[in-house]
Amino acid sequence: MKKEHVSHCQFSAWYPLFRSLTIKSVILPLPQNVKDYLLDDGTLVVSGREDPPTCSQSDSGNEAEETQWSDDESTATLTAPEFPEFNTQVQEAINSLGGSVFPKLNWSAPRDAYWIAMNSSLKCKTLSDIFLLFKSSDFITHDFTQPFIHCTDDSPDPCIEYELVLRKWCELIPGAEFRCFVKENKLIGISQRDYTQYYDHISKQKEEICRCIQDFFKEHLQYKFLDEDFVFDIYRDSRGKVWLIDFNPFGEVTDSLLFTWEELTSENNLRCDVTERDAQEQDSPAFRCTNSEVTVQPSPYLSYGLPKDFVDLSTGEDAHKLIDFLKLKRNEQEDD
């Protein structure tokens, strides 16, 4: 995977080419001061929220008492920076898209931060909704700081013009989303997107789904994308129509879902799960889905809602934290 492959998967690079195939969207340049605010590691203070209600006179006594609790003159109230011009642009764009949007940066959406939103969703109606998700997301930070981390070439990093992408909010059913893998302009694999759940209709209709996606790929995407190796996500609606959702680089930076990257790059054992009839067609991709409720798993985004120390302890990724925890437990037992 080269840096140019990653650059070609930026939303603004492919949206003009495939606008008619995907969800209506608006792209706004991201001002430098907004980027600085989103990358600020300070206390999370979300800009754009309405001012809190003022205290009534009956509360003034309590407020005075609370003020006396701290005599530290250096204590200051944190205030969020304001971006009035950008806020107006964003609100106008949101209104033009029906009043609710799905936000993302050049490549990533803040899917790992859904838990922090009041509605536990990525559905946003204001700039403050977007800021809350973006400032809480590791995926967004990755876009800003390490977009080319898995690239193999040593060429200088391309200049990135960061942008806020606002997509018209649509209620998409997770069981109708699929990720498709293309190598040398050939569709080699299709995976159920929400692989943590079992969907009965996918198992029953997988040949029809696979055929629909193949037809969509051959008609609209094959030889038309900027690279010959790429990954694309689609949504198949209740009428059987296929919608393009996103493009991703063909490499480890992209989640391979029910495949492994070793399988996808070597194409070994890819077709062990296709039907006998499909195996006779050389251009038939491997299709994988969760086949029973026994294999259902928790959402891969759940861990992002926990403190990092908890995650490191549970996975054993930080040996020092684990040692400290064991020492603490031993001391507690000795005290008892």
Side-chain angles (χ1 to χ4, degrees):
M1 182 179 70
K2 296 184 178 180
K3 293 175 182 177
E4 65 175 354
H5 299 154
V6 176
S7 295
H8 291 164
C9 290
Q10 292 183 87
F11 189 84
S12 60
W14 65 262
Y15 182 68
L17 301 173
F18 303 104
R19 184 190 303 266
S20 62
L21 306 175
T22 190
I23 298 168
K24 184 180 179 182
S25 305
V26 174
I27 305 170
L28 297 174
L30 198 71
Q32 183 61 44
N33 59 345
V34 175
K35 177 186 173 184
D36 293 341
Y37 167 67
L38 293 173
L39 283 172
D40 181 21
D41 287 334
T43 304
L44 176 63
V45 179
V46 179
S47 175
R49 290 201 179 279
E50 295 180 359
D51 292 334
T54 56
C55 296
S56 61
Q57 291 182 354
S58 59
D59 294 333
S60 59
N62 292 336
E63 185 178 349
E65 290 178 6
E66 291 176 359
T67 305
Q68 296 172 4
W69 289 352
S70 174
D71 56 0
D72 184 0
E73 295 182 358
S74 64
T75 301
T77 302
L78 291 173
T79 56
E82 298 295 335
F83 311 100
E85 185 177 342
F86 185 62
N87 183 63
T88 300
Q89 293 176 353
V90 170
Q91 201 57 54
E92 288 177 353
I94 291 175
N95 293 339
S96 73
L97 294 170
S100 299
V101 297
F102 175 92
K104 61 179 294 182
L105 271 188
N106 301 40
W107 295 277
S108 303
R111 295 181 182 275
D112 57 325
Y114 75 93
W115 56 272
I116 202 170
M118 292 295 290
N119 57 1
S120 295
S121 165
L122 299 185
K123 184 178 184 179
C124 295
K125 296 185 176 183
T126 65
L127 180 60
S128 61
D129 294 340
I130 297 169
F131 279 166
L132 179 63
L133 291 169
F134 276 23
K135 283 187 71 68
S136 307
S137 172
D138 289 343
F139 293 179
I140 295 298
T141 302
H142 175 273
D143 270 19
F144 278 135
T145 60
Q146 297 178 312
F148 305 107
I149 188 173
H150 293 291
C151 295
T152 55
D153 54 328
D154 295 327
S155 60
D157 288 355
C159 181
I160 302 299
E161 297 292 336
Y162 283 96
E163 56 208 21
L164 172 64
V165 178
L166 303 175
R167 315 207 68 184
K168 181 181 176 64
W169 179 262
C170 300
E171 295 288 348
L172 302 184
I173 301 170
E177 294 182 86
F178 300 89
R179 173 158 289 179
C180 311
F181 301 87
V182 178
K183 185 179 181 185
E184 297 176 356
N185 273 312
K186 179 181 176 183
L187 182 60
I188 62 172
I190 301 171
S191 173
Q192 173 183 328
R193 186 76 173 85
D194 181 20
Y195 65 90
T196 64
Q197 302 297 316
Y198 169 71
Y199 296 97
D200 186 58
H201 73 277
I202 295 180
S203 296
K204 292 179 178 179
Q205 302 173 17
K206 60 183 180 181
E207 290 185 5
E208 179 186 346
I209 293 170
C210 187
R211 188 163 52 250
C212 254
I213 295 175
Q214 280 183 276
D215 292 342
F216 176 83
F217 169 70
K218 290 177 179 179
E219 181 179 354
H220 299 293
L221 304 183
Q222 192 172 30
Y223 305 115
K224 296 176 182 177
F225 188 62
L226 298 169
D227 299 310
E228 62 176 15
D229 297 347
F230 58 93
V231 179
F232 66 97
D233 294 334
I234 63 95
Y235 180 81
R236 183 173 180 268
D237 66 23
S238 57
R239 298 169 297 169
K241 182 176 180 178
V242 175
W243 295 84
L244 176 65
I245 300 298
D246 205 0
F247 283 99
N248 295 284
F250 188 88
E252 292 184 6
V253 70
T254 301
D255 192 342
S256 58
L257 303 179
L258 292 173
F259 294 98
T260 66
W261 275 111
E262 183 180 356
E263 290 176 318
L264 292 167
T265 53
S266 66
E267 294 190 56
N268 290 334
N269 303 319
L270 272 183
R271 288 173 173 73
C272 62
D273 52 356
V274 297
T275 62
E276 205 172 298
R277 186 185 67 187
D278 287 341
Q280 296 173 359
E281 302 179 17
Q282 292 185 353
D283 62 345
S284 178
F287 185 93
R288 292 187 183 175
C289 60
T290 301
N291 291 314
S292 71
E293 295 184 7
V294 176
T295 55
V296 168
Q297 307 169 44
S299 168
Y301 302 123
L302 284 177
S303 62
Y304 291 99
L306 295 171
K308 189 174 186 302
D309 287 350
F310 286 15
V311 177
D312 289 342
L313 280 173
S314 64
T315 59
E317 289 185 2
D318 191 323
H320 295 292
K321 289 178 184 176
L322 182 58
I323 292 170
D324 290 342
F325 177 73
L326 293 174
K327 286 181 178 178
L328 179 63
K329 296 299 292 183
R330 185 186 64 185
N331 292 339
E332 287 178 354
Q333 292 174 354
E334 290 175 354
D335 292 341
D336 293 341

